[in-house]
Each structure stands twice: as C-alpha cells, then as structure tokens.
Amino acid sequence: MSGATTASGATTASGATTASGATTASGATTAAPDAAYNFAYLDEQTKRMLRRALLKAVAIPGYQVPFASREMPLAYGWGTGGMQVTAAILGSADVLKVIDQGADDTTNAVSIRAFFARTAGVATTESTAQATVIQTRHRIPEFPLREGQTIVYQVPQPEPLRKLEPRETETRRMHAMADYGVMHVKLYEDIARHGRVTLAYDYPVLVNRRHVMAPSPIPAFDNPKMHFSPALQLFGAGREKRLYAVPPFTSVESLAFEDHPFHPWKADCACDLCGATDSYLDEVIIDDSGGKLFVCSDTDHCATRRAEGHRGAKAGHALTAAE
Amino acid sequence: MLTDAPLLEAKTVSLRFGRIAALDEVSIQVWPGEVLAVVGESGSGKTTLLRVLHGDLSPDAGQVLYAGRDIHAMAAPDRKWLARNEWGFVHQNPRDGLRMAVSAGGNIGERLMAAGARHWGNIRAAAIEWLARVEIPEDRIDDPPRKFSGGMQQRLQIARVLVMGPRIVFMDEPTGGLDVSVQARLLDLIRRLTHELGLASVIVTHDLAVARLLADRTVVMQQGRVVEQGLTDQVLDDPHHAYTQLLVSSVLQA
C-alpha cells in the first residue's frame, strides 16, 4: 500500500502543483474561508474543549487525555483525530502542511489540506521549512523541525499496551502505576524468537521518563527525531477519543535492552531518484518482472534534493521521465 | 528463626458480602520464614482471607499489618510496589497467574523487567536458572505455557513468583486440579524451595495432607471465623474444636 501511494508521489512530486491546484511547492496560496463554515470547521466551544485537553496533554507528556471527539466529515481512520487537533490550534496566520506516508500529494494529504484551505482560508505549503503546522500520518519529515513549529500526528491506536492487555481499566491502572514490565516482555519475546526486536513501526517510547507512549504508526526510523525535538508534538486519536502530547525538548526514549539497543531500521540502500542515503525509503514495484525502485518516502525532501541537483542511480527511469 | 515481630498480621479483620460474614474478626500472625496453612471447607472464608492479606480486597473493619505497616491504609502504588517486589501470589489456576501466550522465559522475566532489569542476557540467564530450579527442561524456555502440562504450568507459575526473591508468598490451593503423583512432586518442590529461601508463606488448602506436609502452623476456619490454630501436628493429631475433629476424622485413610 505504501508502495502504491509513493509511486504516485514520486511521479508528481516534482511537478510542484497538486491535484487541488491550489498549492505550490514554493509556498502559500490563500483564499478567503468559505463563509458557510466556522473558522476551521469546528465550532468555538468544541475548539475550546480541545484546547483544554491539549493543555493538559502538554502538561503531562505522554499521558492520554480523553476528549469528546466530534463527528468529522470523513470516516474514522482517515485522520479525524489529527484534523480536530489541527482545527483547534490553527490560526489565520498559520501555514499548513499535510503529509501522508511522507507524501504531500496522496489522497488523504491533498483532501485534508484542501479542507483547511477552504474552511479556514489558511496558507498551505508542501515545504517542511515553511510550514508552521504539519499534520502527518505515518512519518516525521526528514527536514529537521524547528522551534515554533507544531507537528500533529494522526493516531489510530493511542494505547501502547492494548495488544498486551485488552482491558482499558487495566491499562489505565498500569499507566498510573508505571507498571510497564509487560511492554519489555514483548521485546524480550521478539529477541528470543528472532534475535532482534522486529517492531518496524509504532515502536513504543518512554516519554519524559514516565509514560510509555505509542508514537503512532511512524517507522521506528523516525523515533529518534522525537527525542528532544524543538517542535511541539501533538497526537490525536479520533475514534479512540484520546489526545496526547510531547512538549518541545522532552526526552523520548525508544524501549530497548542494554545488550540489544534500539536500532532504527531502513532499507539498506540509497534513494534511486535523489541519491539520499539518510532518508527513509519506500520500495516501489515498477513492473511485472520484479523490478523495483527505492525512493524517499518524504516527497518534499526528495524534490528539494533533486532541485539542488542531486541525482540517484535511476534518476532517468521512465517512471520519472515526467521531470 | 522466630523474631520479635510477625511479618504479617491480621488484627480482628471483618468483611461482609451483603448478609454473609465472609470474615468475622479474624486475627492471625505469620512470622518470618514460617509456613502457615489455612484449612477449612468451601465457603469458610479461606480464599477471602488470602485476598484481604494480599491487599486485593479491603476489609470492613480491622487491620492488616505487613512489617508493621497497614497495607490497606497505604497508597495503592505503594501496595503495588510491595506486591511486585516483596510478595508473591500463586493462583490455584495457573491461567490466572501466567501469560498464556508469552513464552516461559518471558513469564519468568516479566517481574524482573517490571522492576527495571534491562539486560536481556541476564534476564535470560535468570529464567534458565529458575526453570532448572522448578524442574522444567531448559529447552522449553521459548514454549508458551499453553503447551505445558498442568503440573508444569503450576511449577512455572511458582518460578515466576519466586524469581523476585519475595519475603512472603500467598498460595491459593496450589495443588488443586492436579493428579496425586504430580501433587506429591509439586509439594516436594514447594517444601524444598520455601526452606531453601527462608520464605514465609500462607497456603490456603482444603487438603489436610498438604497442611501436614508443608505447614509449620495451621489455622482452621469455619464460617468466616478462626476456630482453632496452633502447630500443625498439634492441631491435626489432637484437635480440640468439634469442627476440627470432624475435619480430621473425615479424611480417608489410605
């Protein structure tokens, strides 16, 4: 699935215009908000409720704050939690970037960006550096986040203990008492069976040395980027009705053992389009005879590098001929 | 072995479930290194007493003192800390005390990891050592307990409880549901381990043979009251209370 989304991303990212046509890679198109909606879709009382919950979440890093999740005009699982958080924190001067699996031009990203462009009239961008608010699904941008930026994660399952303990009452008690032995049991089992921890995404982290937190399904590769990040990190789970947060400059440690340290896995090669060796790669199947391409999952990162003249091993491939 | 103060003490503990007095002013003491058996028929309040002593149920009246501290007055996290580090609980059904989908090694290691052990090799080594001590072959370390026999599951549960080196262990009918030869082997193991480790333990059982074999002292309960207590041999060989006499005489002599 990620291959398919990225395939479309890789072919069009350099094109600088997205399906919506309202946004360019260089920055910011704005239009007046649609008068039929309140600013950023949600009513003011709802946004106050969300902000109160967010303040509590920021005050207790990694703690899951229950909130009254609203019905959004798209299905659960498409980012309703992240959208509510974005709606609550968005101001008219903000510049919004939305990514899905690292790509700016997949259906989910384009739709959510268009949604806020229409209901809030905010400027949108594909550039990580220019954005003030970044809503994301499954990735943290490769370009380092800076102070003053806010990244909003869409979260399907906020409870890191859920697969190990199905009872909500019990997991809350476990969080309250920092009873996290079972979390390491999962890692112990992986090492006993496979010789290493096999979790590739949604790799549990310990926030501020207190709460174990699900980082949302970002690849383990992105976990180190959360540690002492200068940006504010907010998490919203719409269906599960939970918000949580990691304030700037907070410790976020990936759980591991002393003799089996955490390892951020990625495909062991360079991006075939831009030649980057330090970015997270997606594997894209390109024909029926097993041909494949490894490309940056962060389309903004890849496009920026190519604009700077970096070229990967298959930069002239037919799939990229449009460039 | 006996010291000045009991390790665990219940003082006139009472607990009612509606109209039924499950515990009626029960007072008992457990001394360091001592095995105490609680015997009585079904519904006599044995298991309720064990759960009150372990802090799972709060009594309506009376106190439970562990090393001089009232466990029902302390904060829940403190009680949890004690339960994790200084106490152990062996359930009658190993399913209640084990994670059935997690390997034997993971089951033994869980307590260590909860207490902060973060070296995989050391945790593994401790698991191997404890499997040997409860007579489970080392090559079963990565098998989940659901692939074990009932006796092995119960031994694994004991290993999981003892790995933390608790000061007191609560056992609720540890041999229930096992056939006689497996029972004998398990009792032998429990007796050996409790003596090796100098553990105090409270064993709830309806089986007087278990009390005879394991316990230094025995408490007899009937309808939520302690009707007789004393040295095990004394209580079983020379029962004073009518109910104890009935209990002793109703055991079939093989």
Side-chain angles (χ1 to χ4, degrees):
Chain A
M1 193 180 106
S2 71
T5 53
T6 320
S8 69
T11 51
T12 60
S14 58
T17 10
T18 62
S20 75
T23 314
T24 64
S26 59
T29 336
T30 45
D34 190 329
Y37 297 103
N38 191 38
F39 181 80
Y41 184 75
L42 292 174
D43 61 275
E44 294 305 314
Q45 286 303 314
T46 299
K47 288 194 281 189
R48 285 183 59 178
M49 172 273 291
L50 279 155
R51 287 170 198 146
R52 276 198 294 269
L54 285 170
L55 285 175
K56 180 169 182 180
V58 169
I60 317 172
Y63 171 74
Q64 299 165 46
V65 183
F67 77 110
S69 181
R70 295 294 194 258
E71 194 85 357
M72 295 300 278
L74 78 173
Y76 286 137
W78 284 77
T80 53
M83 283 175 77
Q84 289 178 75
V85 172
T86 301
I89 62 168
L90 216 51
S92 53
D94 272 317
V95 182
L96 179 68
K97 171 185 164 82
V98 184
I99 52 174
D100 171 10
Q101 308 269 6
D104 288 280
D105 48 7
T106 51
T107 312
N108 200 214
V110 168
S111 306
I112 293 174
R113 199 166 51 223
F115 176 83
F116 284 114
R118 178 175 167 193
T119 57
V122 293
T124 58
T125 181
E126 293 189 359
S127 156
T128 304
Q130 286 181 21
T132 58
V133 175
I134 302 169
Q135 182 173 333
T136 179
R137 169 176 180 262
H138 291 205
R139 275 310 308 276
I140 298 174
E142 305 288 358
F143 190 83
L145 301 178
R146 60 177 156 77
E147 231 169 303
Q149 283 183 317
T150 305
I151 182 164
V152 178
Y153 298 79
Q154 300 169 201
V155 182
Q157 177 50 265
E159 179 51 75
L161 301 165
R162 180 62 68 243
K163 278 184 188 161
L164 306 160
E165 173 53 68
R167 288 168 295 179
E168 175 71 19
T169 49
E170 197 55 32
T171 54
R172 285 204 205 181
R173 188 174 297 129
M174 290 162 83
H175 282 295
M177 297 187 179
D179 186 8
Y180 293 133
V182 65
M183 206 74 239
H184 270 87
V185 170
K186 158 72 183 137
L187 305 183
Y188 167 93
E189 293 277 284
D190 262 13
I191 297 169
R193 229 173 263 152
H194 309 290
R196 63 176 179 91
V197 176
T198 53
L199 285 170
Y201 66 96
D202 211 352
Y203 191 108
V205 291
L206 183 68
V207 176
N208 204 22
R209 299 184 163 272
R210 175 58 183 82
H211 283 97
V212 165
M213 183 188 94
S216 87
I218 59 171
F221 177 83
D222 281 343
N223 274 17
K225 295 176 187 168
M226 308 177 84
H227 184 56
F228 279 95
S229 169
L232 171 63
Q233 307 178 68
L234 304 175
F235 299 76
R239 177 179 43 211
E240 303 290 328
K241 300 176 174 56
R242 294 287 183 279
L243 300 176
Y244 50 106
V246 177
F249 303 107
T250 303
S251 83
V252 179
E253 299 158 73
S254 304
L255 301 182
F257 289 102
E258 288 159 14
D259 48 344
H260 288 266
F262 172 74
H263 185 84
W265 298 94
K266 73 180 272 283
D268 189 19
C269 53
C271 172
D272 282 327
L273 298 182
C274 78
T277 54
D278 57 350
S279 70
Y280 191 73
L281 301 176
D282 280 338
E283 184 178 358
V284 185
I285 306 298
I286 51 174
D287 54 34
D288 288 340
S289 54
K292 61 190 177 188
L293 212 57
F294 283 96
V295 295
C296 294
S297 92
D298 185 338
T299 53
D300 172 53
H301 181 72
C302 200
T304 309
R305 279 178 54 84
R306 277 178 284 157
E308 289 167 357
H310 296 281
R311 290 178 66 76
K314 294 180 186 164
H317 189 272
L319 257 184
T320 64
E323 299 168 45
Chain B
M1 194 102 92
L2 294 187
T3 52
D4 298 347
L7 182 61
L8 184 73
E9 185 173 17
K11 283 184 171 174
T12 58
V13 165
S14 297
L15 177 63
R16 303 187 69 88
F17 295 132
R19 289 188 298 116
I20 300 156
L23 297 175
D24 189 1
E25 301 203 337
V26 172
S27 295
I28 61 163
Q29 285 117 29
V30 186
W31 301 82
E34 167 191 65
V35 180
L36 178 75
V38 180
V39 301
E41 63 194 356
S42 301
S44 60
K46 309 186 295 281
T47 299
T48 305
L49 175 63
L50 200 67
R51 295 184 64 196
V52 169
L53 291 177
H54 189 250
D56 300 334
L57 283 177
S58 288
D60 298 334
Q63 284 179 314
V64 178
L65 303 177
Y66 170 76
R69 298 165 67 197
D70 185 343
I71 64 162
H72 292 286
M74 68 173 67
D78 294 341
R79 193 162 57 234
K80 182 87 180 176
W81 188 91
L82 283 176
R84 261 195 274 173
N85 293 283
E86 299 201 357
W87 304 343
F89 198 104
V90 177
H91 295 265
Q92 174 173 12
N93 187 341
R95 270 159 218 284
D96 298 332
L98 293 172
R99 292 188 187 276
M100 297 308 279
V102 166
S103 73
N107 265 296
I108 296 178
E110 179 177 353
R111 292 290 194 90
L112 295 172
M113 292 184 254
R118 291 291 177 267
H119 191 284
W120 192 86
N122 292 351
I123 294 165
R124 184 88 172 168
I128 289 170
E129 185 200 328
W130 271 99
L131 282 180
R133 293 182 83 161
V134 298
E135 300 164 14
I136 296 174
E138 187 184 322
D139 59 3
R140 302 297 299 271
I141 188 168
D142 290 328
D143 289 345
R146 60 186 146 78
K147 291 188 180 171
F148 287 4
S149 68
M152 274 171 84
Q153 286 179 0
Q154 198 57 286
R155 294 204 298 277
L156 179 62
Q157 193 191 180
I158 288 168
R160 174 184 155 99
V161 164
L162 295 186
V163 69
M164 284 300 292
R167 294 176 69 189
I168 185 164
V169 175
F170 303 88
M171 301 193 207
D172 189 6
E173 307 267 9
T175 57
L178 299 176
D179 70 53
V180 185
S181 64
V182 177
Q183 256 190 42
R185 202 168 148 207
L186 186 72
L187 289 172
D188 213 34
L189 182 85
I190 294 174
R191 185 165 58 169
R192 182 165 57 75
L193 288 175
T194 49
H195 284 150
E196 269 177 26
L197 301 169
L199 279 177
S201 49
V202 181
I203 298 179
V204 159
T205 180
H206 63 272
D207 186 346
L208 293 184
V210 170
R212 169 84 81 181
L213 203 59
L214 291 179
D216 301 315
R217 286 194 308 126
T218 294
V219 169
V220 184
M221 288 188 70
Q222 184 194 22
Q223 291 172 0
R225 275 190 300 274
V226 171
V227 294
E228 186 163 356
Q229 58 178 316
L231 296 174
T232 301
D233 289 344
Q234 230 167 43
V235 171
L236 297 186
D237 290 343
D238 182 21
H240 288 193
H241 192 272
Y243 174 70
T244 316
Q245 290 167 359
L246 178 73
L247 210 60
V248 171
S249 65
S250 55
V251 174
L252 291 174
Q253 299 300 324

